Structure formats: C-alpha cells, structure tokens
Amino acid sequence: MEDILDLDRYPLDREGSPDWQRLVEASTAALEANGMFNLEGFLRPGVAERTVAEIRPVMDTRSHVHKRMHNIYFKPSIPELSPDHPALRKVETISHTVCADQIPGSTVLAIYEYEPLVRFLAATMGKPQLHVMQDPLARANVMGYRAGEALNWHFDRSEFTTTLLLQAPERGGDFEYRTDLRSDDDPNYDGVAQLLEGRDPEAKILRMRAGTLNVFRGKNTAHRVTTVEGERERMIAVFSYYERPGVIFSEEERIGFYGRAA
Ligand SMILES: [Fe+2]
C-alpha cells in the first residue's frame, strides 16, 4: 500500500504514533469546524492516473447510466409541504456508476479495504469501529460525470461519505455545499427554497485535486456536483463504511441505484 498511498505524509500505518494522533486530531477538528476534512495528495503521484486507466474500460462500456429528476430530499413528497412548495423544486442528476463487482482486484477496492484506513476513519469520528460493507455492488463505487452531467442538490442518507477523487474535469464538476442548511430539529424549508433559487450567499465551492481523500458529513449540509464541461470525465470513488458489520442493500435499493439486483 505504500506505493499507492502517501503514508509518509499520512501515516495511517503507524496507528497510535504521535504523527498518527496529530493527523486524527487535525481531521476531527476540521470535521467539527467545516463538516469535512481533505487529505490532499493522499494518492502518490501517478497513482490516480493509473487507477483511472484500470477503471476506464469498464466505465466506458458497462457503467450504469443514472438519469433522473428529483428534489433535494430524493422523496416523492414531504407531508407538511404542498407539492408546489419551492423547496420541492425538481433538479436533474445524470451520472455513470461502476460497481464493486465490476472491478475485482482493482486499486480502488484495495484502498477501500485497507484496514488502517478504516481504523483511521473510525478514529476521526470517535467511533470504536467501522466496517466495510458486504454488499457486492455497493461497497465501493466509481462515479463518472461526463460533459453535461451533474449530481444535483441533495442531502445524504448516511451520516458521512468518504470519496477519493481520481480525475478532475477540465471545467465545472465542482463540489458545492451549504453547511448546516437544516438541522435535525429544523427543516428550514424557506432556506432550502432560497438555495435552490441560487440565492444563498453561504453556498461554498470546493475545487478538489485528483488524489484527494474527502470525508464529508452531508446529512444536513446540502451539496451537489456542478455540471461538468469539457472532454475529461470527472471520476470519483465513493466508499461506504458502517458502524455495524455485514451491511447489504435490499434488492429494491440495488435496482434503484444500479438497475440490477445482482
Ligand atoms: Fe451526497
């Protein structure tokens, strides 16, 4: 793994050492302050390009195209809102997904399953343990966004998301987010409407470089990936970890996300 990850800069393999402890503390502090942390240069130089070359043939020929109109909640309706409420404005998402079962033996899966990474992530979140998923499709995905494609505004279902940017596009494809747009007690529908109308001055843009690991709390922070422009596809690995072992998706979830049950 030391040829793949920059373990000199990010000493995941030296759990409990002062350097490891410092990295955990800095990451926890960033999560607390900004709802995310970034490990830039997590991949050694050249690794992102090699990883993209591994994924490319599958992405080009066998990825699942997901294209749909949705609201920020990914729900058909919200009981306390009338269907024409501006917080329910529809937006379009188009993306290409490669599932874990399509890339056995890949660098992406090796990083996903690297135990020091799983333990490090648990430590940054103050959790006793995290586990990889057992789902053969959902464990790790690589998402592709081509010219004209975007992941539109949404809140995440999961408490946090771990991603690794493999290839940045020429233009667009930026990560835009609005921290704490809602809370567990306050849905802030007017604020949601304002964001969807492009009138939220607190929305921020994060321009990531290929090879950056990002951990993000997206349950109450609205976020999107803006429309990609230019020839180069945005490619990003998405890693799913859970506090309990053995998590798998239902058949309905697999069909909804990937268009197939197995
Ligand atoms: Fe998300």
Side-chain angles (χ1 to χ4, degrees):
M1 199 47 67
E2 62 194 51
D3 298 336
I4 297 173
L5 306 181
D6 190 344
L7 297 175
D8 302 317
R9 187 170 173 189
Y10 302 115
L12 307 191
D13 57 336
R14 283 175 275 143
E15 186 171 353
S17 69
D19 285 346
W20 183 90
Q21 202 62 51
R22 263 192 293 278
L23 180 61
V24 169
E25 280 163 20
S27 303
T28 304
L31 261 184
E32 203 54 51
N34 315 314
M36 71 166 83
F37 68 85
N38 287 288
L39 305 186
E40 211 174 279
F42 187 62
L43 296 181
R44 294 216 188 255
V47 173
E49 292 80 354
R50 288 209 306 272
T51 306
V52 166
E54 275 177 21
I55 304 291
R56 165 87 51 215
V58 184
M59 182 64 84
D60 285 352
T61 59
R62 292 164 58 211
S63 53
H64 174 62
V65 183
H66 199 85
K67 176 174 168 130
R68 63 168 167 164
M69 298 296 294
H70 59 87
N71 59 38
I72 197 168
Y73 307 104
F74 283 130
K75 284 181 186 159
S77 62
I78 298 286
E80 65 246 53
L81 292 184
S82 73
D84 60 353
H85 191 284
L88 294 178
R89 173 197 284 249
K90 290 251 168 90
V91 292
E92 185 176 47
T93 282
I94 314 176
S95 58
H96 290 72
T97 308
V98 167
C99 294
D101 66 330
Q102 297 174 304
I103 48 170
S106 61
T107 305
V108 165
L109 285 183
I111 298 170
Y112 171 64
E113 290 170 349
Y114 182 51
E115 284 191 15
L117 171 62
V118 186
R119 285 201 296 274
F120 165 75
L121 292 172
T124 64
M125 279 169 259
K127 296 182 189 303
Q129 260 189 313
L130 283 174
H131 299 273
V132 294
M133 253 183 131
Q134 287 304 308
D135 195 283
L137 275 65
R139 306 152 49 71
N141 291 163
V142 181
M143 310 294 299
Y145 301 90
R146 304 173 187 178
E149 299 182 349
L151 169 61
N152 227 311
W153 287 115
H154 65 283
F155 296 106
D156 287 345
R157 292 198 305 178
S158 53
E159 183 195 333
F160 71 95
T161 306
T162 306
T163 60
L164 180 58
L165 187 65
L166 302 176
Q167 180 168 274
E170 288 158 30
R171 294 180 306 284
D174 291 317
F175 186 72
E176 186 174 11
Y177 62 103
R178 196 329 188 148
T179 303
D180 294 336
L181 179 58
R182 67 177 183 184
S183 68
D184 291 344
D185 312 316
D186 175 14
N188 187 21
Y189 295 124
D190 291 340
V192 168
Q194 192 177 321
L195 176 77
L196 295 173
E197 283 156 15
R199 295 188 291 108
D200 189 330
E202 287 186 51
K204 294 195 188 83
I205 286 205
L206 173 73
R207 201 153 287 166
M208 265 186 282
R209 284 194 207 163
T212 301
L213 184 89
N214 173 276
V215 175
F216 176 71
R217 283 188 199 279
K219 231 176 165 174
N220 291 324
T221 290
H223 55 285
R224 69 170 172 175
V225 176
T226 63
T227 306
V228 166
E229 297 169 48
E231 286 302 299
R232 201 165 61 230
E233 182 171 9
R234 182 186 203 260
M235 236 190 256
I236 189 162
V238 182
F239 297 154
S240 294
Y241 300 104
Y242 287 84
E243 279 180 82
R244 66 191 168 88
V247 172
I248 56 168
F249 273 1
S250 67
E251 280 202 3
E252 292 71 28
E253 285 173 314
R254 281 195 210 132
I255 289 168
F257 285 110
Y258 310 123
R260 62 190 167 104

